[in-house]
Structure formats: structure tokens, C-alpha cells
Amino acid sequence: MWKDFKEFAFKGNVLDLAVAVVIGAAFGKIVSSLVENIITPLVGLLLNGVKFTSLSFKYKETEILYGNFIQSVFDFLIISFSIFLFVRLLSKFKRKKEVIVEEAPPIDSKEVLLEEIRDLLKKQNNA
């Protein structure tokens, strides 16, 4: 069982996935900060200083913070769009790196015979 676990845990795909999760978490924090500290205040300025997080509805003694929900949806849209652009950029670079290897066309039997004749003539001239 230990051997199977080691083989699973140290496969390239699992390590790549672990690295991707860590990088994704860091990227998510950057995008969240961008949304929270730059984009949301700019949108607030466009909407005459409205802050999404301060929007609420009070019913009796319960306060419904629908502004937080709007902010979460807005964060999700910006983060998912940013990740989409990042993945799209990476896929463009990956496509450029792929080299198309063209296979040589199959050699015709006549060409093979001509090559053999050429080689025999070279042997006769060298001898």
C-alpha cells in the first residue's frame, strides 16, 4: 500500500496539480485585491459613491446584506474573467512552442531501386 501511495503521490501530474493550486491561490489573492482595492472603488465613483458592501435591507430586526452578495458576484466575474484571459494567454504561448514535424513522404519502389543502382556504381568507381 505504501508503494502504491508513493507512486501516486510523486507522479508528475500530481505535483503539477499541487503547484497549480498554490499558484492559483496566489493569483486569486492578487485578483481579489485588484477588484477590492481598485475596480470596486472606481465603479463606486461611477455610481456616485455607492459602495456595494454597504447596501442592505432591514426587515424588523433582521438585516439582509444584499450588497455583500452583489460584491461577491462582482468579484467572481472579475476573477473568472481574469483567469480566463490568463489561461488563454498561456495557451497561445503553448501553441507557438509546439513544432510541427513533417514526416517525409514514403519512398517509391522505383526510387529505392535507383538508390541501389547509384550505390553499386559508386562501389564500382571506387574499386
Side-chain angles (χ1 to χ4, degrees):
M1 189 168 130
W2 177 249
K3 181 181 174 185
D4 291 339
F5 176 73
K6 273 180 36 179
E7 287 177 12
F8 169 77
F10 294 109
K11 280 186 180 178
N13 294 340
V14 174
L15 293 176
D16 291 344
L17 180 61
V19 169
V21 167
V22 171
I23 290 174
F27 184 71
K29 287 181 181 181
I30 291 170
V31 175
S32 295
S33 176
L34 172 71
V35 170
E36 183 179 320
N37 299 316
I38 296 173
I39 295 174
T40 302
L42 290 175
V43 171
L45 284 174
L46 293 174
L47 298 174
N48 294 325
V50 175
K51 293 182 181 180
F52 291 129
T53 54
S54 65
L55 298 175
S56 64
F57 173 74
K58 195 162 191 166
Y59 181 73
K60 295 186 181 180
E61 295 193 20
T62 304
E63 187 174 10
I64 299 170
L65 304 170
Y66 68 91
N68 287 339
F69 176 74
I70 292 172
Q71 182 64 48
S72 296
V73 170
F74 188 70
D75 290 350
F76 170 76
L77 293 174
I78 297 296
I79 290 169
S80 60
F81 184 70
S82 300
I83 291 173
F84 167 75
L85 291 177
F86 183 70
V87 169
R88 189 171 177 200
L89 178 70
L90 288 179
S91 67
K92 283 185 180 182
F93 284 130
K94 188 174 182 180
R95 280 189 221 137
K96 288 181 182 179
K97 288 183 181 179
E98 292 176 3
V99 177
I100 300 173
V101 179
E102 294 182 19
E103 293 183 23
I107 299 174
D108 188 15
S109 60
K110 291 178 185 176
E111 290 180 39
V112 173
L113 288 174
L114 288 172
E115 287 176 359
E116 289 176 4
I117 292 170
R118 180 195 65 203
D119 293 341
L120 288 173
L121 287 172
K122 280 185 183 178
K123 281 184 182 179
Q124 286 179 354
N125 288 337
N126 290 336

